[in-house]
Amino acid sequence: MPSYPVNHSLYVLLWNKYKPVLLKLMRDASEAPQEYQFIPHEFRDLNAKEKSGHSFTLEAHKRRAMNNIKMSVVAQDLLEILLKSNTAATLLEEAIFEFKMDKQFKLTVTRKEIETEESAEEVEAQSKEKETEEA
């Protein structure tokens, strides 16, 4: 009988189910931050013992996370689903997106514009500094 890693891609199917919603939130975030209330049991049923909880913050730009999401399988799986979408990948090239889910399972999607290539590099450098401070 094969053994499967406990946390490997645990939330991928759930995020994939909500991919159309996520893409709409990303598109609409150009006007203002967008919110979506998830049903808590969908996450808890997948992994009720999630040590770090299900809340997370993911800042993504140009096909990668700009902040440290190593401790959040939920955020890692969200990024994986986003990167499999051409629409999401295009949006992530245009701006930085922040995905933040709180303890009440409310996801907020915020779009942060990049003015120039220099400012994108500055934001990335600041993000790395922040990551170093957190470690």
Side-chain angles (χ1 to χ4, degrees):
M1 183 171 173
S3 64
Y4 297 99
V6 177
N7 287 332
H8 181 68
S9 300
L10 195 58
Y11 300 95
V12 167
L13 291 175
L14 179 62
W15 286 127
N16 197 46
K17 171 184 170 182
Y18 285 102
K19 187 164 56 172
V21 172
L22 294 167
L23 296 176
K24 180 170 179 20
L25 293 171
M26 289 177 74
R27 283 190 295 268
D28 293 349
S30 62
E31 301 296 320
Q34 301 295 305
E35 295 180 345
Y36 186 83
Q37 181 64 53
F38 285 97
I39 301 167
H41 81 82
E42 288 185 295
F43 287 89
R44 289 187 184 132
D45 287 354
L46 289 174
N47 188 5
K49 296 179 182 178
E50 180 67 44
K51 289 180 182 159
S52 61
H54 294 92
S55 59
F56 66 88
T57 299
L58 164 64
E59 288 184 3
H61 180 57
K62 292 191 177 184
R63 306 191 61 82
R64 67 183 196 87
M66 295 180 65
N67 63 322
N68 185 353
I69 59 170
K70 291 178 184 174
M71 298 304 292
S72 175
V73 177
V74 183
Q76 291 173 25
D77 288 354
L78 170 58
L79 182 60
E80 182 178 330
I81 286 300
L82 293 174
L83 296 180
K84 289 180 180 177
S85 164
N86 290 334
T87 303
T90 300
L91 291 168
L92 288 170
E93 286 293 320
E94 297 170 359
I96 297 170
F97 282 86
E98 179 184 72
F99 300 85
K100 190 171 193 169
M101 187 154 70
D102 64 19
K103 292 179 181 183
Q104 287 73 43
F105 298 90
K106 180 173 66 177
L107 180 72
T108 304
V109 179
T110 306
R111 179 184 171 120
K112 301 176 182 178
E113 295 300 327
I114 301 294
E115 296 299 323
T116 64
E117 192 60 37
E118 277 183 26
S119 65
E121 290 170 3
E122 288 173 16
V123 169
E124 192 170 326
Q126 289 172 355
S127 198
K128 286 182 181 177
E129 286 175 23
K130 187 177 176 183
E131 222 174 87
T132 305
E133 290 171 6
E134 291 175 356

